[in-house]
């Protein structure tokens, strides 16, 4: 099909909620994707931190094909080996105890919010408040967009669900002032992804944990973007020296097959009983088999170490570009393979020009280039992307 036809069909039949780039993608291989005209791109967006194994990883493809040939879906009225295996693996990896599997990030957070409310109400009927951070991103359902403290996601959807309070990120005093015995949970991203790759001070999360303990509130960490190896550890909180009461996952977990999960300690999970939560598709054997394959490949191929090493390499290369283009780049920040480049101007033109030259990157929060490539990349792939970015920055009008 001609690409103009695809654009036209989208315009005529798809709800106009996405500002898309003029590209029809057909397939991928490793860290590369191809468009409908056969042009190849190095992919440093990876479906927004989703394709952790790159595209068409043979082990993931085989696991999906094998499971699809047996059973794609049954119902949570029955047991499956794939779901049991994934629950056990996630509990072991997280150091937490009980897992629920859904289909997306927003659903994972929605479930975590429900669990925190149930847990809080068992202590006291008014222990229902959830505190989140400005510039956060937690999803697009009504509860999660209310948790998302960015007016642009909330405008037009009022009345919003009650019980959410927002504080500046990385501000212990503001959090302390907002907390009370009514706080049932504090929900934060370890690194704010969508909000611009915002990395808090080293001690912030230890203080957050201390405040949560003081007020009997749960710490919910939204690791939908930072989890599954992105920062060089399976979970970003392993860098922070704190343990959450609930952690949420999605993006990278099944390498691109839709999935979401929340994991809680036994003490917290005990607030849920039969009938308290559910999902038709959640935890289906296809998605679980894909996630089991992803977690095995991450382990077999040493991808946590690779994310750490290549992240440092990427940051070094980007800092060299900052030195070369100090009027365009003001800061480079990241951990593992979630890296942000703060610009002195909007980033969309740079993203477009890189695309023309064969590199897919992303801009978030208006002026932050975000790099969340597959965890399988090599130094050669970094060099390839950096060369294109370098050529692009050289053409930016000052
Ligand atoms: C992407 C993202 C979500 C939402 O996930 P969806 O699958 O789009 O619902 C929530 N939280 C964070 C931190 C994310 O990056």
């Amino acid at each position: 099909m001609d690409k103009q036809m695809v654009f036209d069909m989208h315009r005529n039949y798809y709800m106009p909620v996405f500002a898309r780039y003029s590209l029809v993608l057909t397939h991928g291989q490793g860290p590369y994707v191809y468009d409908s005209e056969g042009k190849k791109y190095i992919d440093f967006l990876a479906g927004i931190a989703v394709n952790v194994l790159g595209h068409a990883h043979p082990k993931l493809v085989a696991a999906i094909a094998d499971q699809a040939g047996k059973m794609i879906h049954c119902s949570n009225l029955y047991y499956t080996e794939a779901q049991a295996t994934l629950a056990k693996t996630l509990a072991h990896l997280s150091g937490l105890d009980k897992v629920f599997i859904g289909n997306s990030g927003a659903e994972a957070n929605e479930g975590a919010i429900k669990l925190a409310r149930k847990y809080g109400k068992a202590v006291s009927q008014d222990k229902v408040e959830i505190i989140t951070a400005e510039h956060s991103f937690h999803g697009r359902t009504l509860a999660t967009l209310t948790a998302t403290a960015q007016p642009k996601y909330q405008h037009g959807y009022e009345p919003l669900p009650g019980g959410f309070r927002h504080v500046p990120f990385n501000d212990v005093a503001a959090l302390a002032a907002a907390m009370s015995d009514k706080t049932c949970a504090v929900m934060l991203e370890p690194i704010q992804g969508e909000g611009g790759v915002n990395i808090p001070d080293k001690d912030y999360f230890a203080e957050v944990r201390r405040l949560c303990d003081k007020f009997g509130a749960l710490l919910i960490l939204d690791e939908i973007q930072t989890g599954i190896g992105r920062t060089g550890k399976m979970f970003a909180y392993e860098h922070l020296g704190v343990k959450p009461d609930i952690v949420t996952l999605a993006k990278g977990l099944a390498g691109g097959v839709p999935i979401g999960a929340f994991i809680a300690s036994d003490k917290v999970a005990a607030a849920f009983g039969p009938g308290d939560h559910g999902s038709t598709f959640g935890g289906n054997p296809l998605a679980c088999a894909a996630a089991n394959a992803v977690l095995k490949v991450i382990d077999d191929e040493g991808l946590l170490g690779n994310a750490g090493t290549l992240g440092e390499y990427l940051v070094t290369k980007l800092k060299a570009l900052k030195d070369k283009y100090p009027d365009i780049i003001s800061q480079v920040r990241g951990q593992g393979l979630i890296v942000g480049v703060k610009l002195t101007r909007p980033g969309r033109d740079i993203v477009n020009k890189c695309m023309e030259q064969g590199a897919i990157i992303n801009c978030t929060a208006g002026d932050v280039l975000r790099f969340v490539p597959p965890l399988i990349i090599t130094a050669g792939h970094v060099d390839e992307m950096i060369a294109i970015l370098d050529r692009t920055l050289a053409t930016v009008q000052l």
Side-chain angles (χ1 to χ4, degrees), residues 9 89 123 144 194 205 286 324 344:
M9 282 160 68
T89 308
V123 177
T144 58
E194 214 67 27
F205 274 98
L286 186 78
K324 192 168 172 186
T344 58

Side-chain angles (χ1 to χ4, degrees), residues 55-80:
H55 300 275
H57 190 290
K59 297 248 172 69
L60 178 57
V61 172
I64 292 169
D66 179 61
Q67 185 60 51
K70 290 178 187 158
M71 178 190 274
I72 293 174
H73 173 79
C74 62
S75 146
N76 283 307
L77 297 175
Y78 309 95
Y79 296 94
T80 67

Side-chain angles (χ1 to χ4, degrees), residues 19-23 39 41-45 48 328 341 343 345-371 385 388-393 395-396:
R20 297 183 204 255
Y21 294 99
S22 301
L23 209 58
K39 185 171 162 189
Y41 302 81
I42 181 92
D43 181 10
F44 267 56
L45 179 59
I48 314 185
I328 309 173
V341 168
L343 303 171
R345 66 202 61 228
R348 197 168 165 99
D349 279 355
I350 293 174
V351 170
N352 263 314
K353 283 189 183 157
C354 283
M355 200 174 80
E356 281 164 23
Q357 302 206 49
I360 291 189
I361 62 169
N362 170 248
C363 177
T364 190
D367 60 1
V368 179
L369 300 180
R370 175 176 45 170
F371 302 87
M385 186 282 295
I388 292 172
L389 184 58
D390 190 356
R391 280 205 299 278
T392 300
L393 292 173
T395 68
V396 172

Side-chain angles (χ1 to χ4, degrees), residues 21 23 25 27-34 41-57 60 194 224-230 250-258 294 303 314 337-339 351 358-363 370-377 381 385:
Y21 294 99
L23 209 58
L25 296 176
H27 63 289
Q29 186 63 57
Y32 296 101
V33 288
Y34 296 82
Y41 302 81
I42 181 92
D43 181 10
F44 267 56
L45 179 59
I48 314 185
V50 167
N51 302 303
V52 286
L53 304 186
H55 300 275
H57 190 290
L60 178 57
E194 214 67 27
I224 286 166
Q225 190 159 158
T226 54
I228 314 300
R230 173 80 25 216
K251 291 192 163 81
L253 178 54
V257 178
V294 166
L303 295 183
L314 174 60
L337 287 173
I338 175 166
V339 177
V351 170
I360 291 189
I361 62 169
N362 170 248
C363 177
R370 175 176 45 170
F371 302 87
V372 281
L375 308 184
I376 52 146
I377 55 162
H381 297 131
M385 186 282 295

Side-chain angles (χ1 to χ4, degrees), residues 25-235:
L25 296 176
T26 55
H27 63 289
Q29 186 63 57
Y32 296 101
V33 288
Y34 296 82
D35 73 10
S36 52
E37 288 159 352
K39 185 171 162 189
K40 183 180 178 182
Y41 302 81
I42 181 92
D43 181 10
F44 267 56
L45 179 59
I48 314 185
V50 167
N51 302 303
V52 286
L53 304 186
H55 300 275
H57 190 290
K59 297 248 172 69
L60 178 57
V61 172
I64 292 169
D66 179 61
Q67 185 60 51
K70 290 178 187 158
M71 178 190 274
I72 293 174
H73 173 79
C74 62
S75 146
N76 283 307
L77 297 175
Y78 309 95
Y79 296 94
T80 67
E81 196 178 309
Q83 190 184 101
T85 302
L86 180 58
K88 179 180 173 185
T89 308
L90 288 176
H92 281 182
L93 288 171
S94 64
L96 294 165
D97 303 304
K98 295 285 192 292
V99 177
F100 182 91
I101 305 167
N103 309 286
S104 70
E107 259 184 79
N109 284 338
E110 189 85 25
I113 290 165
K114 286 175 69 179
L115 178 59
R117 284 267 171 88
K118 269 238 138 179
Y119 179 87
K121 285 199 181 210
V123 177
S124 146
Q125 270 306 304
D126 62 357
K127 196 171 179 62
V128 296
E129 277 184 8
I130 294 172
I131 302 178
T132 65
E134 289 167 10
H135 305 294
S136 59
F137 185 79
H138 299 295
R140 303 286 201 147
T141 64
L142 270 177
T144 58
L145 73 82
T146 307
T148 297
Q150 298 195 55
K152 68 175 176 183
Y153 293 113
Q154 299 173 346
H155 180 70
Y157 300 114
E158 301 84 354
L160 302 177
F164 289 87
R165 299 183 64 155
H166 304 138
V167 295
F169 189 54
N170 195 29
D171 184 336
V172 176
L175 181 62
M179 286 186 80
S180 71
D181 291 337
K182 290 185 182 161
T183 310
C184 75
V186 175
M187 181 156 105
L188 297 166
E189 298 153 86
I191 295 171
Q192 292 186 327
E194 214 67 27
V197 191
N198 303 320
I199 302 177
D201 294 341
K202 212 170 165 300
D203 299 334
Y204 176 63
F205 274 98
E207 290 296 311
V208 172
R209 178 74 267 182
R210 196 181 55 75
L211 284 170
C212 286
D213 293 343
K214 179 175 166 195
F215 288 100
L218 303 179
L219 175 57
I220 303 173
L221 288 183
D222 177 345
E223 292 237 24
I224 286 166
Q225 190 159 158
T226 54
I228 314 300
R230 173 80 25 216
T231 65
K233 299 216 184 256
M234 188 56 77
F235 299 91

